[in-house]
């Protein structure tokens, strides 16, 4: 469908609302977001903004989708430029951390504490929100197709979760056994745990002289744990 002046104007206004919303998110936090404040900075009356974003929750959803999309695009570009599963994994981890340190308020909106009273609509946020994990699964799956880690295929401890793993296999279109999916979940949780500790300053300001060095070591351990060494 060809764009028209009206559709272009609407797209530009939504882009401006998103940009201003990001600025307010960084300055005041998600719980303090206000459409009236966004309208003021946009230079229009509140009713004009409500034609595009009907509520604070819709503004939050706009910012959530915007954040997931930017992070997904950035990660995919870094992973595509890397050679081999281990380098792709390292690129993914470094890129998520760099984005989080550069955009701490947006990272917190995506991966921090829930915003009181806000429930993200799954039909709008699930696709963008699973892009990074989908890329991570693709990297691990590619590596494990040729050389699988020494992990029990179907551990009896996971028997009660077999149905859940079946759903994951169907959703992700892969054929990994339960044990390897559980390993992938562990890698995912550990990676984002390390990044979140850094972004949210959980270590304390002076505990480590180089957080970069610490993260690189953690990332290397996770690559080894996942069986990604050459």
């Amino acid at each position: 469908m060809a764009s028209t002046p009206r559709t272009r104007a609407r797209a530009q206004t939504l882009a401006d609302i998103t940009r201003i919303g990001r600025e307010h998110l960084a300055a005041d936090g998600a719980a303090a977001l206000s459409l009236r404040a966004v309208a003021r900075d946009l230079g229009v009356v509140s009713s004009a903004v409500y034609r595009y974003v009907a509520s604070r929750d819709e503004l939050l959803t706009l910012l959530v989708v915007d954040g997931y999309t930017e992070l997904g695009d950035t990660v995919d570009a870094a992973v595509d430029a890397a050679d081999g599963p281990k380098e792709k994994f390292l690129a993914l981890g470094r890129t998520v951390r760099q984005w989080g340190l550069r955009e701490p308020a947006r990272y917190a909106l995506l991966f921090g504490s829930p915003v009181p009273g806000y429930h993200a609509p799954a039909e709008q946020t699930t696709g963008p929100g699973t892009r990074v994990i989908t890329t991570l699964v693709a990297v691990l799956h590619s590596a494990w197709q040729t050389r699988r880690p020494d992990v029990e295929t179907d551990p009896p401890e996971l028997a009660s979760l077999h149905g859940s793993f079946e759903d994951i296999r169907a959703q992700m279109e892969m054929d990994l056994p339960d044990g390897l999916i559980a390993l992938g979940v562990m890698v995912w949780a550990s990676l984002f745990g390390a990044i979140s500790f850094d972004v949210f300053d959980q270590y304390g300001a002076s505990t480590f002289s180089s957080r970069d060095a610490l993260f690189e070591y953690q990332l290397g351990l996770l690559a080894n744990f996942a069986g990604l060494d050459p």
Side-chain angles (χ1 to χ4, degrees):
M1 181 183 297
S3 65
T4 65
R6 183 174 181 177
T7 59
R8 289 194 294 272
R10 178 177 178 79
Q12 182 58 56
T13 300
L14 281 171
D16 290 340
I17 291 171
T18 303
R19 173 181 53 78
I20 294 170
R22 288 197 300 260
E23 293 169 356
H24 285 221
L25 179 69
D28 305 315
L33 282 175
S34 163
L35 283 179
R36 290 183 179 275
V38 170
R40 182 184 63 244
D41 285 3
L42 192 60
V44 299
V45 297
S46 298
S47 58
V49 172
Y50 290 131
R51 291 201 297 268
Y52 297 91
V53 182
S55 65
R56 182 210 69 156
D57 282 7
E58 284 197 13
L59 176 60
L60 280 168
T61 298
L62 194 68
L63 294 175
V64 166
V65 172
D66 174 69
Y68 277 135
T69 299
E70 182 178 302
L71 177 59
D73 288 346
T74 306
V75 166
D76 284 349
V79 170
D80 288 345
D83 293 323
K86 181 177 182 179
E87 289 305 316
K88 288 180 181 294
F89 174 77
L90 297 178
L92 184 149
R94 290 165 182 156
T95 302
V96 174
R97 176 176 179 260
Q98 289 163 2
W99 189 87
L101 291 173
R102 187 174 68 250
E103 301 282 355
R106 296 168 76 193
Y107 183 92
L109 179 63
L110 303 184
F111 303 111
S113 300
V115 180
Y118 172 69
H119 301 283
E123 67 276 8
Q124 293 175 256
T125 59
T126 298
T130 55
R131 282 185 58 186
V132 173
I133 181 57
T134 298
T135 300
L136 175 59
V137 168
V139 170
L140 297 178
H141 192 210
S142 173
W144 294 344
Q145 280 182 316
T146 57
R147 190 183 67 184
R148 296 190 172 186
D150 185 18
V151 173
E152 189 172 354
T153 301
D154 295 303
E157 298 90 343
L158 297 178
S160 64
L161 293 170
H162 183 70
S164 299
F165 292 130
E166 283 288 348
D167 291 341
I168 292 171
R169 275 186 282 272
Q171 292 167 8
M172 296 288 186
E173 298 181 348
M174 61 180 179
D175 58 357
L176 296 176
D178 292 0
L180 282 180
I181 295 177
L183 175 60
V185 172
M186 184 71 177
V187 171
W188 173 33
S190 299
L191 174 62
F192 274 83
I195 292 169
S196 293
F197 255 65
D198 202 354
V199 173
F200 299 144
D201 201 24
Q202 294 296 307
Y203 293 123
S206 59
T207 303
F208 299 106
S209 59
S210 174
R211 288 191 187 175
D212 289 348
L214 176 65
F215 181 74
E216 284 298 314
Y217 182 71
Q218 292 170 328
L219 195 58
L221 287 178
L222 284 175
N224 293 343
F225 180 64
L228 299 180
D229 265 357

